[in-house]
Amino acid sequence: MKSEKLILLTLILFIFSCNEKEKRKDWQPVANGIWKYTVGTEEKLNPLKAADAKPNLEKLKSFPSIEFPFAKDLINITKENHKTFIRLPLDDEEQIYGFGLQFKNINHRSKIYNLRVDHYGGRDNGRTHAPVPFYVSSKGYGVLINSASYITAYVGSSVRIDSRNKPPVYDRNTDKNWDPQPKSDVVELLIPAENVEIIVFNAETTLDVVRKYNLYCGGGYLPPKWGLGFTYRTHTLYSSVEVENEVQEFKKNGFPLDFIGLEPGWMNRSYPCSYEWDEERFPNPEEFVKRLLNKGVKTNLWINPYIAPKAKLHEKMLPYAGSHSVWNGIVPDYTMEAPRKLFIDFYKKNQLDIGVSGLKIDEVDGYDNWLWPDLATFPSGVSAEKMRQIYGLLLQDMVADLYHENNRRTYGLVRASNAGAAHLPFVLYNDYYNHRDFITALINSGFSGLLWTPEVRQSATGEEWLRRMQSVCFSPMAMINAWSSGTKPWSYPEVYKEVKEVALLRMQLLPYIYSTFADYHFNGTPPIRPMQLLGNFSMKEISVKGDLDDTENPYEMALKNELKDQYMFGENILVAPVFTGETFRNVVLPKGKWYDFYSGEFAGEDEIIQVEAKLEEIPLFVKDGGIIPMIAPDLHAPQKDEDLPLEIKYYGKAPGSFLLYDDDGETFNYEKGDFSWTRLKVENSETQNGELEKIEGEYFGYSDISWKFMTK
Ligand code: GAL
C-alpha cells in the first residue's frame, strides 16, 4: 500500500513537472517583433518546412522594434494525453481574423474550427482548401500554430471556470439578456501532437502583422506579367486543333488572353493520371506549345497527383507510394527526395522544356471518401494526417523550385494550401460556386498569405455572367474555367460589350497591379486588402447619414455585421462588387475622401453611401491623392523589352504618391537587382502637375508619360 502511494505521488510529480517544464521555457525572438515557442522538440515536418518558407529577415528588421503583445503569464501551454493544449488571452473588444480560406465569416470570434484540408462544404467549420492555423487580432498581433496536425481552434467560444473575466450569469427564465454563448476571454487550441511550434507576431498595426507574417513566409510571390493578364481554361476534351481555334476566336473577338489552360484531356489518361500527352488529341505537343507561344499565349496544364498503373512513371514511383490509392492511382510520398526528382525530371523533359508555363494542381484537398484514409502509411513515416495537411504545399514547392532553377516565373492554380504559402506561385480555386461567398473568401485570403480566384464557370443569366466577370477581373487571377461548360467570354452576347470592357480594364491596370504584387513580394503587403486592415478603420466610427428607422434600417446589416463584400485592390482602389439582381448597393467608405474611379467625382468620406448598380460598371473608388498608372488596352500583358506609353491617373486633391515597380516581368533577374522603383507623385493638385522620381534601379518599360487629373 505504502509503495503504491509512493508510485502515485511520483507519477503526479512527474506529470506536474512535465507541464511546468513547458511553462518555464521562454519565447525565442526569431525576428523583429516575432517570437517562437517550441512545445516538446522541433518537428521534422511542419507547414513552413513543407512550403520551404524562408523568412526575409532583412526586410523584417526595417519594422520598429516592439514588445511581446500581451503578458506572457496569460498564456497557458500544457500537454495532456500526448496532446498539446494552448490557451491565449482575448480581450472583450477583440475581433479575430484569418484562419485561411473561409467563405462566410471574416470575424471568427466565437467560432469553432476543425482545421483540416478538405473540399469546402458550404459551412465555415474549418474544413476548407487552405485551413491556415494563423489568426490576426484587431488589437494588432498574430499567432501561427505551425503544425501539420488537425488543429481544433476554439476562437473565443469556451469559458473556463477560472476565467479572468467571468461573463455575467443570467437566469434564462426571467432575464432576456441570457446568452447561449457567454463571452469568452480566451482562444484555445487543441493540437493532437506533443511537438508544436507557436509563432507570435506583433506590430504597430494589423496590416503590419499580416506583412510580417507574409515576410516570415518569404514574402509574397511576384507573378510574371503574363500571369496577371487574362486566362481561359478550355473544355476538358479539346484537341490541339480545337484549342488553337479557340485562341484564334479570342483574337477575332478582341478579347485578351495571356495563358490558356488545358484540362484533363491533354493526357492519355486521367483520374489517375499519366502526365503523358494524348497522341490523338495532341499529336505534336512541342509544335502546339510553340505555335501558341508565337501567338503570345502560354500553356498551363491540369494534373492531379495520383499516378495511373499504366503510366510510364508508375513502376519507378511505386516504391515511394503510400499504402492506399486514390482513384486507383498511387500517391507518391513527396516528402522524399527520390520521388520528387522522378516527377520533376519527367515534367521537365515532357512539359517545361517544350515551353509549358505552369500547372493547375487539382484534387490535393481531400474529400474524405476520395482521399487516402487517416490510417494510411507513407514510406517516409509521415502520418496520413500530416500528409493530408501539407500535400498541396509539397507539390507547389516542388514545381516552384523547378521553375526557379530554370529562371522562368510560373503562375498556376492549386486546390489546397496551408501556412507558409505566400511565396509560392499558386492561386487557390475550388468547385463551390457562390458569388458572394467567393468575395468573402477573396477578402479572407488577404489575412493569411493566400491568393484566391473567384473563377467564372457559367451563369444562369447574362447579368450574372457579367457580375462574376467584373469581380474576377479584380482578383489575383482573371479566369474563365470552361472545363465542363465550354462557355466563352462571348457566350452571353447581351453583355459581351461590358464583359470585354472589364477584361480590357484589367489589362490597362497591369502597371498598377504588377506594382501591387511587387509590394506583396518585397514588403509583404497583401494585394487583396480586407477593409479591416486599413489604418483607423472601425465600423463603429463610420457615420450613417439620412433618416433611419429602427425596424427597416438599410444600413443596419452593414453596421452590425462584418464587412465582407468590399475590399481594397492594392493601395488605392476600393472594389465593391455587385451581385445579380442588385439595383444598388451600400459601400462603406473609410476615413478620408473617396472618388469615383470612372468619373473622378467626389463619392463621400467616412460614411456609408448607396450606389446605383450600373450594369456596365463594377463600383470602384479611389482614395484622395490616389495615383493609378495605366497602359493602353491590349490583348497581351507587356512583354520583356517592350516600351509602353504610360498614362497616370490622379484622383482628388491631396498630395499623393505611388511606387511604380518594373522589371523584365518573366525571369528571376530581379533577385539580382534588375528592377526599378519609381515614385509617381503629385505635391500640389492645383498645379495639375505630376512628377516621376527614380528611387532605385534602372529597368523601366515605359516612355511617353502623361498625367490625367481625374477630379475637376
Ligand atoms: C475538378 C476541378 C475543375 C476541373 C475538373 C476537371 O476537380 O475543380 O476545375 O479542373 O476537376 O476534371
Side-chain angles (χ1 to χ4, degrees):
M1 191 64 190
K2 242 182 165 183
S3 69
E4 274 172 16
K5 271 192 181 162
L6 199 68
I7 292 172
L8 195 66
L9 192 68
T10 325
L11 201 68
I12 290 169
L13 277 176
F14 174 72
I15 293 169
F16 185 68
S17 69
C18 284
N19 287 345
E20 274 306 287
K21 211 166 131 203
E22 284 310 330
K23 282 186 205 156
R24 256 188 264 125
K25 270 192 200 164
D26 208 0
W27 290 81
Q28 300 300 319
V30 285
N32 181 6
I34 306 180
W35 299 263
K36 178 159 97 177
Y37 186 100
T38 310
V39 183
T41 52
E42 190 178 325
E43 278 197 298
K44 272 209 230 99
L45 194 63
N46 57 36
L48 294 196
K49 284 185 184 171
D52 197 18
K54 297 189 184 80
N56 181 345
L57 296 174
E58 212 33 56
K59 189 73 210 180
L60 283 165
K61 273 193 207 144
S62 65
F63 289 82
S65 59
I66 193 158
E67 299 283 296
F68 200 78
F70 35 74
K72 287 181 189 148
D73 59 7
L74 295 178
I75 305 173
N76 193 288
I77 302 168
T78 50
K79 279 202 234 174
E80 307 271 346
N81 302 324
H82 308 290
K83 294 176 183 160
T84 300
F85 298 177
I86 302 171
R87 193 185 329 142
L88 297 143
L90 196 57
D91 280 357
D92 221 35
E93 291 295 306
E94 247 178 295
Q95 311 219 338
I96 298 293
Y97 312 120
F99 288 113
L101 197 71
Q102 306 295 338
F103 289 77
K104 304 264 184 197
N105 312 305
I106 300 275
N107 178 14
H108 305 298
R109 188 165 181 147
S110 81
K111 306 283 187 308
I112 301 169
Y113 292 133
N114 290 298
L115 300 173
R116 182 186 290 225
V117 169
D118 204 343
H119 280 217
Y120 180 70
R123 273 196 327 130
D124 280 10
N125 55 13
R127 283 182 174 248
T128 178
H129 307 269
V132 182
F134 172 63
Y135 69 85
V136 188
S137 156
S138 55
K139 276 181 72 184
Y141 67 87
V143 178
L144 168 68
I145 309 296
N146 183 23
S147 163
S149 297
Y150 295 155
I151 297 169
T152 308
Y154 300 87
V155 193
S157 64
S158 54
V159 179
R160 289 180 58 90
I161 58 171
D162 61 356
S163 140
R164 278 182 303 139
N165 304 303
K166 288 205 182 68
V169 182
Y170 299 108
D171 172 14
R172 204 184 78 159
N173 286 340
T174 54
D175 199 331
K176 63 177 182 349
N177 288 323
W178 181 85
D179 188 346
Q181 184 147 31
K183 200 144 197 182
S184 153
D185 61 0
V186 282
V187 172
E188 298 196 89
L189 300 135
L190 163 61
I191 301 112
E194 292 181 286
N195 304 318
V196 179
E197 189 173 281
I198 313 164
I199 304 175
V200 166
F201 301 78
N202 198 18
E204 287 181 351
T205 65
T206 317
L207 178 59
D208 276 353
V209 172
V210 175
R211 284 193 176 115
K212 282 188 171 180
Y213 168 77
N214 289 336
L215 290 167
Y216 195 75
C217 299
Y221 185 67
L222 178 62
K225 285 185 184 171
W226 57 260
L228 297 172
F230 198 88
T231 182
Y232 176 79
R233 305 202 68 87
T234 51
H235 189 270
T236 190
L237 284 179
Y238 265 17
S239 64
S240 57
V241 175
E242 286 164 306
V243 176
E244 285 183 69
N245 287 343
E246 200 83 301
V247 170
Q248 226 20 60
E249 284 292 297
F250 268 73
K251 195 167 175 205
K252 218 174 82 199
N253 283 290
F255 204 89
L257 183 65
D258 274 295
F259 63 112
I260 196 148
L262 309 188
E263 288 287 317
W266 72 270
M267 270 185 256
N268 58 11
R269 44 180 65 83
S270 69
Y271 292 82
C273 295
S274 64
Y275 310 142
E276 295 155 32
W277 292 89
D278 183 80
E279 285 176 10
E280 239 169 71
R281 287 186 290 274
F282 293 86
N284 193 338
E286 193 165 348
E287 285 303 312
F288 161 75
V289 174
K290 208 184 279 164
R291 275 198 302 275
L292 289 192
L293 280 175
N294 289 338
K295 291 182 178 142
V297 177
K298 309 249 186 316
T299 307
N300 174 290
L301 299 177
W302 175 101
I303 61 161
N304 76 37
Y306 315 116
I307 301 179
K310 286 198 172 151
K312 288 183 187 149
L313 260 180
H314 186 269
E315 206 187 311
K316 289 186 195 143
M317 211 51 118
L318 198 55
Y320 309 106
S323 57
H324 289 66
S325 62
V326 175
W327 294 303
N328 295 319
I330 55 170
V331 184
D333 183 340
Y334 287 128
T335 65
M336 302 170 81
E337 265 319 305
R340 281 170 86 94
K341 189 165 169 4
L342 281 174
F343 175 85
I344 283 304
D345 287 351
F346 192 87
Y347 178 73
K348 183 172 179 333
K349 180 162 168 251
N350 297 290
Q351 283 93 25
L352 180 133
D353 283 350
I354 66 166
V356 171
S357 75
L359 285 174
K360 165 173 169 179
I361 305 171
D362 203 21
E363 312 285 5
V364 274
D365 49 2
Y367 188 60
D368 293 349
N369 282 58
W370 298 336
L371 209 71
W372 58 85
D374 284 350
L375 47 72
T377 55
F378 286 88
S380 62
V382 170
S383 71
E385 168 182 343
K386 287 193 175 150
M387 195 62 95
R388 176 168 177 161
Q389 298 293 76
I390 57 158
Y391 208 59
L393 288 177
L394 292 173
L395 276 124
Q396 291 179 66
D397 174 52
M398 194 161 75
V399 175
D401 270 2
L402 176 68
Y403 276 91
H404 192 263
E405 274 163 26
N406 284 270
N407 199 22
R408 276 164 57 181
R409 273 185 258 169
T410 176
Y411 197 47
L413 291 148
V414 70
R415 229 174 55 187
S417 204
N418 208 322
H423 73 108
L424 295 168
F426 289 90
V427 179
L428 286 151
Y429 67 98
N430 73 359
D431 284 341
Y432 182 71
Y433 199 53
N434 179 303
H435 190 189
R436 268 184 192 279
D437 292 354
F438 268 21
I439 300 305
T440 303
L442 185 61
I443 296 167
N444 271 325
S445 66
F447 288 112
S448 303
L450 302 170
L451 299 175
W452 159 259
T453 173
E455 65 169 37
V456 185
R457 301 202 279 267
Q458 66 206 55
S459 295
T461 61
E463 182 193 353
E464 185 196 333
W465 181 254
L466 174 61
R467 291 313 189 195
R468 285 183 179 272
M469 284 294 291
Q470 286 171 336
S471 40
V472 85
C473 285
F474 287 86
S475 83
M477 193 180 275
M479 170 169 77
I480 294 177
N481 178 10
W483 77 274
S484 153
S485 61
T487 46
K488 331 262 177 229
W490 44 90
S491 286
Y492 301 80
E494 67 276 30
V495 290
Y496 182 55
K497 185 175 152 278
E498 292 80 5
V499 163
K500 186 167 153 181
E501 235 158 60
V502 73
L504 289 172
L505 176 59
R506 162 105 184 179
M507 302 306 286
Q508 286 180 270
L509 284 168
L510 283 176
Y512 172 80
I513 303 175
Y514 196 53
S515 303
T516 293
F517 273 86
D519 192 15
Y520 187 34
H521 175 70
F522 291 98
N523 305 313
T525 318
I528 302 295
R529 229 172 282 183
M531 303 306 291
Q532 290 79 356
L533 290 184
L534 299 194
N536 300 326
F537 183 75
S538 156
M539 281 297 285
K540 281 202 175 143
E541 288 165 20
I542 294 279
S543 58
V544 177
K545 297 198 174 147
D547 281 342
L548 303 173
D549 141 338
D550 250 9
T551 48
E552 275 182 48
N553 183 340
Y555 306 128
E556 192 189 45
M557 292 304 282
L559 279 176
K560 252 202 333 215
N561 290 344
E562 23 181 3
L563 202 47
K564 52 185 186 181
D565 59 359
Q566 64 173 71
Y567 56 92
M568 295 300 297
F569 188 61
E571 198 187 324
N572 291 332
I573 303 181
L574 189 163
V575 184
V578 174
F579 305 101
T580 315
E582 286 183 337
T583 50
F584 69 90
R585 68 154 288 167
N586 295 332
V587 182
V588 178
L589 296 176
K591 286 206 171 76
K593 294 186 165 54
W594 292 82
Y595 296 84
D596 181 86
F597 170 83
Y598 304 93
S599 67
E601 275 166 30
F602 176 69
E605 89 182 279
D606 199 11
E607 62 185 302
I608 299 173
I609 57 164
Q610 200 176 75
V611 296
E612 188 198 333
K614 295 183 200 156
L615 192 66
E616 67 279 13
E617 284 175 6
I618 175 169
L620 302 173
F621 302 92
V622 183
K623 69 180 187 194
D624 200 7
I627 290 176
I628 304 188
M630 292 173 72
I631 45 177
D634 200 350
L635 302 189
H636 304 291
Q639 311 292 304
K640 203 170 159 182
D641 302 328
E642 228 176 346
D643 206 11
L644 296 171
L646 189 71
E647 182 181 62
I648 309 170
K649 291 192 174 169
Y650 164 84
Y651 291 80
K653 309 250 180 278
S657 78
F658 180 83
L659 284 173
L660 176 68
Y661 174 83
D662 204 21
D663 63 16
D664 68 21
E666 286 179 14
T667 71
F668 289 93
N669 293 355
Y670 67 82
E671 289 178 348
K672 297 181 206 116
D674 198 7
F675 64 86
S676 72
W677 286 104
T678 307
R679 178 169 287 129
L680 314 178
K681 60 178 180 182
V682 171
E683 273 164 8
N684 178 357
S685 63
E686 299 285 304
T687 62
Q688 300 265 309
N689 242 336
E691 285 170 54
L692 260 69
E693 184 193 345
K694 280 223 149 137
I695 301 291
E696 191 182 353
E698 285 305 317
Y699 198 102
F700 196 63
Y702 307 103
S703 60
D704 199 5
I705 315 280
S706 61
W707 286 80
K708 189 161 180 186
F709 282 67
M710 293 294 292
T711 306
K712 299 287 166 262

